[in-house]
Amino acid sequence: MPAYKYMEEMWRHKQSDALRFLLRVRAWEYRQRNRITRVHRPTRTEKAHRLGYKAKQGYVIVRCAVRRGGRKRQNHRGMVFGKPKHQGINHLKFERNLQSVAEEKVGRKFANLRVLNSYWINQDATMKYYEVILVDPSHTKIRNDPRINWIVNPVHKHRECRGLTSAGRKARGLRKRGPRANGIKGGSYRAAWLNRNTMRLKRYR
């Protein structure tokens, strides 16, 4: 079995004794460090390479911790001066997934780099930990590589804030193809809804 395939199979069996021990020890270590930390090499080598990482200059790996759970509404003492429908405080869910939140946090911290992708590495009772792959658009090695220099284009600035990464597209419901994607024709479910509900009448009829 090739090395990367072996690593992939190992990470699939997260309940195995070896991985449970590793994850527990690593979670303890991550709790002692800062929420956003640059790491020298990816924790999951095979996963990082599958998502576009290359072990060469211009690529950066950053670990990010995100607090788990729903999003409590920011109201003073939980008081909503409105209708009972809007008085919920606790049982609310954030619209995007935690992985895209991690990408956004890292993207804001490392503003001169571009977010390529990210993957899960660990979690405990309160936090989820992701590693984010960043690319330096001003590095010569990146600008001269035809496989990655598309990200140098200024239209890809802060793509993680606009839902253009893989995790962001998942949060927008765009991971569908064919007839299952009828509800998101035009780029989003809002665009599809507007398309269906707009009456178009010819000017001369």
Side-chain angles (χ1 to χ4, degrees):
M1 185 186 288
Y4 278 10
K5 188 67 178 172
Y6 183 83
M7 292 170 71
E8 183 187 343
E9 288 298 319
M10 191 178 77
W11 273 96
R12 275 185 182 164
H13 296 90
K14 295 182 177 64
Q15 291 289 311
S16 65
D17 288 349
L19 215 57
R20 280 174 66 185
F21 175 75
L22 267 179
L23 292 176
R24 193 167 75 242
V25 172
R26 283 176 181 162
W28 177 87
E29 182 195 346
Y30 297 162
R31 281 197 296 272
Q32 317 309 314
R33 302 284 175 89
N34 293 333
R35 294 278 179 92
I36 298 177
T37 312
R38 182 177 173 181
V39 294
H40 294 297
R41 58 178 64 87
T43 305
R44 301 177 62 180
T45 314
E46 92 298 345
K47 183 72 170 174
H49 279 272
R50 232 175 346 189
L51 296 179
Y53 172 78
K54 298 272 188 248
K56 69 177 193 177
Q57 294 173 334
Y59 286 85
V60 178
I61 298 284
V62 176
R63 183 177 63 240
C64 181
V66 187
R67 188 169 290 278
R68 295 174 63 178
R71 182 186 179 277
K72 188 175 180 179
R73 181 172 282 157
Q74 301 291 306
N75 280 65
H76 179 60
R77 293 185 177 178
M79 292 183 293
V80 180
F81 300 102
K83 298 179 179 178
K85 173 189 173 75
H86 301 295
Q87 284 176 347
I89 298 294
N90 283 327
H91 293 227
L92 306 175
K93 312 293 182 287
F94 189 48
E95 192 137 323
R96 289 184 291 127
N97 50 44
L98 293 180
Q99 186 170 345
S100 71
V101 173
E103 288 178 351
E104 185 180 343
K105 282 176 182 286
V106 172
R108 289 186 192 280
K109 178 97 169 177
F110 296 82
N112 61 322
L113 306 180
R114 306 274 161 86
V115 174
L116 179 63
N117 225 319
S118 63
Y119 52 93
W120 178 95
I121 50 166
N122 209 329
Q123 68 186 48
D124 56 23
T126 56
M127 309 296 281
K128 279 198 176 190
Y129 301 94
Y130 297 95
E131 277 182 1
V132 182
I133 305 168
L134 298 162
V135 179
D136 185 357
S138 56
H139 201 291
T140 317
K141 297 281 187 187
I142 301 299
R143 298 176 83 89
N144 292 341
D145 186 350
R147 285 178 296 186
I148 191 63
N149 64 5
W150 55 268
I151 210 166
V152 174
N153 196 320
V155 77
H156 293 294
K157 288 179 180 179
H158 289 290
R159 54 201 296 271
E160 73 283 350
C161 294
R162 296 176 288 134
L164 302 181
T165 59
S166 183
R169 285 173 57 80
K170 183 180 182 182
R172 290 164 60 200
L174 299 180
R175 281 226 188 134
K176 295 187 174 76
R177 290 272 184 262
R180 295 194 313 155
N182 285 338
I184 53 170
K185 274 183 181 176
S188 68
Y189 72 89
R190 289 186 185 89
W193 179 89
L194 190 65
N195 202 21
R196 283 195 303 270
N197 288 275
T198 303
M199 184 181 287
R200 294 176 189 81
L201 301 173
K202 288 186 177 179
R203 186 173 176 194
Y204 302 108
R205 65 185 191 278

